[in-house]
């Protein structure tokens, strides 16, 4: 297979991949159902509330719109705003992440404003629940602002409510450098009756469409993990069509967006119910824990965790089983994960993600070099055999069977594999797709600078210089092809391929374009070296005339 045909195959694979990705965003029936559900949402009658029904309730509770005062809880990486009515987290600022490139403002994940509602709620329902139809728990706090001191590794903030001889304490615990927040309930029963409560935690998010463009689509929606599904997305349209209800041990429920995630992680030793619902343009995903009974003059603690932060794979893997799968590499995960590990290792040495990408490209091309060498050697032999093949065509005319037999015999004698160029191409495309999803999912690459005008490798080149250089390198690689295309139609198609690739790559993350450009330059060098060595060995003299 000549390099022109290789480029054509690569182009077809790339175009097919992009078309499929865009179709998933625009024409997938599920996505269309989501858009329809969002359009109808404002007209729906309220079917959900701030407080879910307990296990023995027959219908959801009514919406509670009243708010209490807010307090601030701040660690070195997180600043939470908590409403004392219910103890809900209504805002989370990620202090180590900028809202935009070069912005001085921190990235706001959880938020509750006129544009979007994205909050984390939790509470106690059931027979003696303090979050009921008539209202949410109104907690008391000792201060309005709490901050992790420089000499502290942990900050604990209790919210207290006393009711009918029972003291309910909702405690937030933030640890230094962590986005995993412990949210525990302590029920101290000083009454004469047994207290029965049931915990819940849920994430509420305004129903919005996924953002991005055809080259960089992003997912915003629900996801969960259960004993039967390690990781499964549950989009807003799926929530609108059918309420999720899964009983499982352990598990978690989350809302995902580009690079970030918020999730409730209930007690992993308990049986929990995962659920969803939608109403009034808002989708909710959460968990309901088992009923807890607290005998008179005794105490019980109910544990849960809230994650609100970046998709940090190592930290999420430590937080809960399968939680790191929210970094979704798609079907190419088995390639993307080791590539990302290699990328982070090289970055730790060179301290520049762009140089790390170049390093990964060199490693990949080095590993594939034996196949590349076999590819170009086969292509060179095919070029040398063209006069003999043309002679066969003239000799056998329309006898295709005889022609095929003689060609196979010739290939065998000269040890030529006419399909020798396929394997490197077939291997390179999955690697490209794996890197594509790595750039889409790895928060480490968000706002990662290279040099000069490239200040964000996860975004497109603002001046389109890298795509143009990539197109030029592809054109040069095409011109170095050892087997020129004779057919005028094929020639026009091949001449158009660098232009087509350049246009597509205008919207790709600049880091991905950098990988492709580096790969092309290395291929050009390898091709030149391989052919030079073949000429020195006098390959053409060994091919029978």
């Amino acid at each position: 297979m000549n390099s022109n045909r290789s480029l054509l195959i690569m182009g077809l694979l790339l175009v097919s991949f992009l078309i499929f990705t865009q179709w998933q965003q625009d024409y997938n029936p599920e996505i269309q159902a989501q858009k329809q559900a969002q359009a109808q949402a404002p007209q729906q009658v309220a079917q959900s509330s701030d407080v879910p029904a307990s296990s023995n309730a027959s219908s959801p509770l009514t919406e509670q719109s009243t708010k209490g005062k807010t307090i601030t809880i701040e660690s070195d990486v997180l600043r939470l705003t908590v409403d004392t009515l219910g103890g809900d987290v209504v805002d989370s600022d990620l202090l180590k992440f900028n809202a935009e490139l070069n912005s001085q403002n921190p990235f706001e994940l959880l938020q509750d404003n006129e544009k979007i509602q994205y909050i984390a709620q939790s509470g106690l329902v059931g027979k003696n629940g303090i979050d009921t139809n008539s209202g949410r728990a109104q907690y008391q706090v000792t201060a309005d602002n709490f901050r992790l001191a420089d000499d502290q590794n942990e900050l604990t903030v209790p919210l207290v409510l006393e009711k009918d001889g029972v003291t309910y304490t909702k405690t937030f615990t933030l640890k230094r450098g962590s986005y995993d927040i412990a949210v525990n309930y302590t029920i101290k029963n000083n009454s004469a009756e047994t207290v029965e409560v049931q915990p819940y935690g849920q994430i509420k998010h305004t129903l919005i469409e996924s953002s991005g463009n055809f080259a960089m689509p992003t997912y915003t929606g629900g996801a969960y993990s259960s004993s039967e599904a390690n990781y499964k997305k549950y989009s807003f349209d799926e929530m609108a069509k059918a309420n999720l209800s899964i009983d499982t041990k352990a598990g978690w429920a989350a809302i995902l967006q580009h690079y970030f995630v918020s999730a409730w992680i209930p007690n992993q030793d308990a049986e929990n119910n995962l659920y969803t619902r939608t109403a009034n343009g808002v989708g909710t995903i959460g968990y309901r824990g088992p009923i807890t009974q607290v005998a008179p003059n005794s105490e019980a603690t109910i544990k849960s965790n809230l994650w609100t932060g970046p998709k940090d794979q190592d930290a999420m893997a430590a937080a809960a089983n399968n939680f790191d799968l929210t970094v979704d590499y798609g079907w190419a995960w088995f390639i993307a994960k080791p590539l990302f590990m290699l990328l982070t290792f090289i970055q730790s040495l060179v301290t520049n993600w762009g140089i790390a990408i170049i390093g990964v490209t060199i490693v990949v091309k080095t590993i594939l070099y034996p196949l590349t060498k076999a590819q170009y050697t086969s292509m060179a032999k095919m070029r040398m055999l063209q006069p003999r093949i043309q002679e066969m065509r003239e000799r056998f005319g329309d006898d295709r069977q005889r022609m095929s037999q003689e060609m196979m015999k010739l290939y065998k004698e000269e040890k030529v594999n006419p399909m020798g160029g396929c394997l490197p191409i077939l291997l390179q495309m999955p690697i490209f797709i794996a890197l594509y999803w790595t750039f889409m999912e790895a928060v480490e690459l968000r706002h990662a600078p290279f040099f000069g005008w490239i200040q964000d490798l996860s975004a497109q080149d603002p001046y389109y210089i890298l795509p143009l250089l990539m197109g030029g390198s592809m054109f040069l690689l095409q011109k170095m092809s050892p087997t020129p295309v004779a057919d005028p139609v094929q020639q026009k198609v091949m001449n158009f391929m660098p232009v087509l690739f350049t246009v597509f790559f205008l919207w790709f993350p600049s880091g991905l374009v950098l990988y492709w450009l580096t790969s092309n330059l290395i291929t050009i060098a390898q091709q030149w070296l391989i052919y030079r060595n073949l000429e020195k060995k006098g390959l053409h003299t060994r091919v029978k005339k």
Side-chain angles (χ1 to χ4, degrees), residues 250 375 530 537 540:
Q375 172 191 7
I530 291 169
K537 293 178 181 178
H540 63 282

Side-chain angles (χ1 to χ4, degrees), residues 228-284:
E228 295 185 357
N230 291 339
Y231 166 70
K232 184 173 178 59
K233 290 180 179 177
Y234 204 75
S235 61
F236 290 136
D237 70 289
E238 291 176 294
M239 295 181 194
K241 289 188 292 185
N243 288 333
L244 177 72
S245 181
I246 296 177
D247 293 323
T248 179
K249 186 173 183 179
W252 45 262
I255 291 289
L256 311 182
Q257 69 181 64
H258 198 197
Y259 297 129
F260 302 99
V261 57
S262 294
W264 278 107
I265 305 171
N267 185 347
Q268 298 295 280
D269 296 324
E271 292 286 338
N272 301 293
N273 174 262
L274 306 181
Y275 65 87
T276 66
R277 61 175 179 264
T278 60
N280 297 331
V282 176
T284 300

Side-chain angles (χ1 to χ4, degrees), residues 402-454:
R402 181 70 186 278
M403 177 68 182
S404 178
Q405 291 174 350
E406 290 298 323
M407 285 183 65
M408 289 300 103
K409 183 180 178 181
L410 177 64
Y411 292 153
K412 186 175 182 180
E413 288 176 356
E414 300 298 339
K415 298 179 180 180
V416 174
N417 180 6
M419 301 301 291
C422 286
L423 187 57
I425 295 298
L426 294 177
L427 287 176
Q428 189 173 344
M429 196 60 192
I431 293 172
F432 171 81
I433 293 174
L435 282 171
Y436 171 87
W437 286 113
T438 297
F439 278 90
M440 293 294 297
E441 290 292 310
V443 69
E444 291 83 354
L445 292 165
R446 180 181 184 265
H447 295 171
F450 180 37
F451 291 120
W453 73 98
I454 302 296

Side-chain angles (χ1 to χ4, degrees), residues 186-237:
T186 301
I187 301 104
K188 187 174 183 180
N189 185 8
N190 295 319
S191 71
E193 302 292 334
T194 297
V195 171
E196 187 177 285
V197 295
Q198 185 177 22
Y200 76 92
Q202 61 187 22
I203 309 290
K204 300 182 70 174
H205 195 294
T206 301
L207 296 173
I208 61 173
E209 296 183 27
S210 297
S211 58
N213 55 48
F214 79 99
M216 297 177 62
T218 58
Y219 173 79
T220 300
Y224 68 89
S225 178
S226 68
S227 55
E228 295 185 357
N230 291 339
Y231 166 70
K232 184 173 178 59
K233 290 180 179 177
Y234 204 75
S235 61
F236 290 136
D237 70 289

Side-chain angles (χ1 to χ4, degrees), residues 524-536:
I524 290 171
Q526 289 179 338
Q527 183 173 329
W528 178 83
L529 180 63
I530 291 169
Y531 287 141
R532 185 181 182 187
N533 290 335
L534 290 175
E535 289 175 0
K536 286 182 178 180

Side-chain angles (χ1 to χ4, degrees), residues 39 59 130 140 258 264 321 451:
S59 62
I130 51 177
Q140 301 299 316
H258 198 197
W264 278 107
N321 289 337
F451 291 120

Side-chain angles (χ1 to χ4, degrees), residues 97-105 446-447 449 453 455-456:
F97 293 86
N98 294 338
E100 302 291 343
L101 184 64
N102 299 323
S103 170
Q104 299 300 314
N105 298 321
R446 180 181 184 265
H447 295 171
W453 73 98
Q455 293 299 309
D456 185 359

